[in-house]
Amino acid sequence: MKKLACRYAIIQFLPYTETGEFANVGVVLACPATGYFGFKLETRRYARYTNFFRDLDKQIYLRSIAAIRDELERVRQSLHCASAEVVRDVFAALVHPREAILRIGEPRALLAQEPQQALEQLYGYYVEHDFLTPEHRERVLEQRVQQLIKGLNLENPFKEEKLGDDEFTVRFPFVQIVGNEPAKVIKPFFLAQDETLSIYNHGDLWIAKLRRLRKHNRLPEKVLFTLEGPDMTDDKRYKVFDDVRNDLCEFVETVLVGEETRILQFAKAG
């Protein structure tokens, strides 16, 4: 099947122009040869943006994404039965640089057999990061906590350790040792898997580890799990996340990864 020349651009969320930080929140794609114009935006799972951009009111994101969705929908309707030249011109105008909370990045080119399929693939890569495994996401959370606590200058700093005995051990990324004994533990924990069963499986795996450590008298009293869960608007996945979180609370204290003040309070407390 012949491949078609397409143009696409990444839609970026830039709430604080002063810092230059942005997040990919959508993709727009046009295929002049067929007259195709499509876009896809993140309208549901936005917690990672409001968590990343501290003190950001979620309504800012929701209003911004609604506005650009309406704009792109008007463009799509205006291009119905349009010529290839018109599609090219409209797309070029759309991606022209502009100052806004939501901006459309530099135009890029690709060859695709099915423009709609190409749009889905680009969205999965640039917005959903489907190349990242849950294991990678957990390492990213560890790096975030590391950056958060590294400036505390604690007398007994947190470091990676294994807890347990000769029969059973568990690796934790942040353990504070006081007097040769583990005093506090911080464990970043990713619970935003795409499938509810995967959330349960990952949660149950660690609940079993915690239960066994307690049985062996090797679980410190002060253990904090910093959680990344699904967006609250995803009722099905969030209900499972909340169920797992309640089970974890039998063994550890939990906070959301965005609750940085509580994480720092836990790390500094005597």
Side-chain angles (χ1 to χ4, degrees):
M1 186 175 178
K2 181 181 178 181
K3 290 189 176 182
L4 303 168
C6 299
R7 302 283 281 173
Y8 74 96
I10 311 302
I11 301 170
Q12 300 166 337
F13 182 52
L14 184 77
Y16 306 131
T17 56
E18 298 84 358
T19 66
E21 295 176 309
F22 66 87
N24 296 335
V25 298
V27 179
V28 58
L29 182 144
C31 180
T34 65
Y36 174 86
F37 179 88
F39 63 91
K40 189 168 184 179
L41 300 166
E42 180 58 273
T43 58
R44 296 180 60 204
R45 297 166 59 184
Y46 51 81
R48 55 181 168 148
Y49 307 129
T50 52
N51 286 339
F52 177 76
F53 296 105
R54 283 178 286 184
D55 303 320
L56 179 71
D57 184 346
K58 69 177 182 180
Q59 292 302 323
I60 294 176
Y61 178 82
L62 293 174
R63 287 194 295 266
S64 299
I65 209 76
I68 199 168
R69 180 186 60 212
D70 292 344
E71 177 185 354
L72 294 175
E73 185 58 40
R74 286 194 295 269
V75 171
R76 176 158 56 189
Q77 293 178 11
S78 72
L79 291 177
H80 180 64
C81 297
S83 67
E85 182 179 0
V86 170
V87 173
R88 279 193 292 267
D89 290 346
V90 169
F91 186 83
L94 185 67
V95 300
H96 186 77
R98 55 181 171 176
E99 294 294 329
I101 290 179
L102 280 173
R103 68 184 182 190
I104 301 177
E106 292 289 328
R108 310 177 188 187
L110 85 161
L111 296 174
Q113 292 181 343
E114 295 288 345
Q116 177 64 40
Q117 183 179 359
L119 174 65
E120 295 289 342
Q121 292 172 343
L122 290 167
Y123 180 85
Y125 185 86
Y126 286 106
V127 180
E128 293 187 326
H129 298 168
D130 55 13
F131 57 90
L132 299 180
T133 64
E135 291 76 17
H136 177 90
R137 296 288 293 273
E138 213 150 83
R139 288 194 296 272
V140 171
L141 293 181
E142 290 180 9
Q143 292 169 2
R144 182 172 177 177
V145 171
Q146 177 67 47
Q147 290 295 316
L148 185 63
I149 67 176
K150 72 176 184 179
L152 294 179
N153 297 318
L154 299 172
E155 180 179 353
N156 299 293
F158 287 85
K159 57 183 179 179
E160 181 177 334
E161 294 283 353
K162 289 183 178 180
L163 301 186
D165 52 27
D166 292 340
E167 298 177 1
F168 182 74
T169 59
V170 180
R171 173 254 180 201
F172 288 92
F174 304 106
V175 179
Q176 186 181 56
I177 303 295
V178 178
N180 296 322
E181 291 293 331
K184 285 188 287 188
V185 175
I186 301 176
K187 163 65 179 171
F189 200 47
F190 181 73
L191 281 174
Q193 288 81 356
D194 291 335
E195 302 296 331
T196 55
L197 181 59
S198 298
I199 297 175
Y200 272 131
N201 286 343
H202 191 49
D204 289 348
L205 174 65
W206 273 88
I207 290 167
K209 290 180 180 181
L210 294 169
R211 181 178 291 110
R212 193 167 298 277
L213 283 174
R214 175 181 287 180
K215 182 178 180 180
H216 287 228
N217 295 316
R218 291 295 185 269
L219 183 68
E221 289 186 9
K222 298 179 180 179
V223 181
L224 179 70
F225 272 42
T226 65
L227 309 179
E228 179 179 338
D231 193 276
M232 293 180 66
T233 59
D234 191 333
D235 293 340
K236 188 175 181 180
R237 290 168 62 239
Y238 193 83
K239 181 179 179 181
V240 172
F241 162 75
D242 202 41
D243 190 21
V244 173
R245 182 177 186 174
N246 288 335
D247 289 341
L248 284 169
C249 287
E250 179 184 346
F251 304 94
V252 302
E253 182 181 350
T254 66
V255 299
L256 297 178
V257 71
E259 298 179 84
E260 296 184 347
T261 299
R262 292 184 61 189
I263 298 172
L264 288 172
Q265 289 172 344
F266 177 89
K268 292 186 294 186

